[in-house]
Amino acid sequence: MTSTTSAGQERKAPGRPRSAQADEAILDAVLALMAEGQSAAAVSIESVAAKAGVGKATIYRRWPNKEALLIDAVRCMKGPLPALGGVSAREDLIALVTANRSNRAREYGIVTACLLPELQRDPELNRMHQAVMEPRRERMREILRRGVETGEFRADLDIHLTVLMLSGPSMMLGMFGDATGVPEQDFPEKLVDALLRGASA
């Protein structure tokens, strides 16, 4: 799979007014196909169109290629970044972790597992995916830096390693669910608090 389209330029200008309902149906179809176990490579514009109940032309009016469609599906899956209260770094970290959890966490975990091999094989798709994920990682780094500055976290905290430590468990829980032995209930609070036992000043 190859692509020369940047994440910021992935959609063609539409020839007619956009339908939010059609957009949602198409993106949901991508996620549903991958949640059923189809690899990113196996998902086709034809199968997405059939699943969404639209014509292929409807998809191509919105996305120039499958790579751009996949990345928009990931962006939809992740949702918007939450508004943060700024009361404490702990509360803001919990809000970020919570924003990555939903009642579709298990489904999205399967989608992530199906997407990972393709990200390894396709540098351009990987770059587009990183462009979606980087704002979330940077928001988490900002919170950690603020916690260091205010004395909430230890001065020698490894910011990048801590981001990795916060992100990895959430992804694993989404992919493997009950097999991890970790319950979904109160997971964001438990994760943040477990990490803060070593990170607190």
Side-chain angles (χ1 to χ4, degrees), residues 178-200:
D178 293 340
T180 62
V182 177
E184 182 71 44
Q185 184 176 5
D186 299 325
F187 170 74
E189 292 88 347
K190 290 178 179 177
L191 172 63
V192 171
D193 286 341
L195 184 139
L196 291 188
R197 281 193 282 274
S200 295

Side-chain angles (χ1 to χ4, degrees), residues 47-191:
S47 63
V48 172
K51 188 80 168 177
V54 302
K56 289 193 296 180
T58 301
I59 297 177
Y60 280 121
R61 277 197 298 270
R62 291 158 166 77
W63 294 274
N65 51 47
K66 188 177 79 171
E67 291 86 347
L69 176 57
L70 287 173
I71 292 303
D72 255 11
V74 171
R75 185 178 289 110
C76 175
M77 181 174 70
K78 293 298 181 182
L81 282 167
L84 301 178
V87 176
S88 71
R90 174 186 177 272
E91 294 300 322
D92 284 350
L93 288 175
I94 290 172
L96 278 185
V97 175
T98 301
N100 286 329
R101 316 301 303 163
S102 73
N103 56 6
R104 300 177 68 180
R106 179 64 179 138
E107 175 188 349
Y108 290 163
I110 297 172
V111 172
T112 300
C114 292
L115 187 61
L116 287 175
E118 202 66 19
L119 294 177
Q120 295 299 312
R121 286 194 293 265
D122 188 338
E124 179 63 10
L125 185 63
N126 192 9
R127 185 194 64 76
M128 294 168 70
H129 181 262
Q130 294 305 318
V132 172
M133 300 305 297
E134 179 56 24
R136 294 176 174 276
R137 289 193 291 260
E138 180 55 28
R139 181 69 64 86
M140 194 170 285
R141 288 191 289 264
E142 290 171 358
I143 295 170
L144 293 170
R145 293 187 193 106
R146 191 184 79 223
V148 170
E149 291 170 359
T150 60
E152 191 173 347
F153 299 148
R154 54 194 297 169
D156 62 348
L157 183 70
D158 188 321
I159 300 294
H160 294 282
L161 180 59
T162 304
V163 170
L164 190 62
M165 293 168 68
L166 283 167
S167 304
S170 188
M171 184 175 72
M172 295 296 288
L173 182 60
M175 291 171 63
F176 298 109
D178 293 340
T180 62
V182 177
E184 182 71 44
Q185 184 176 5
D186 299 325
F187 170 74
E189 292 88 347
K190 290 178 179 177
L191 172 63

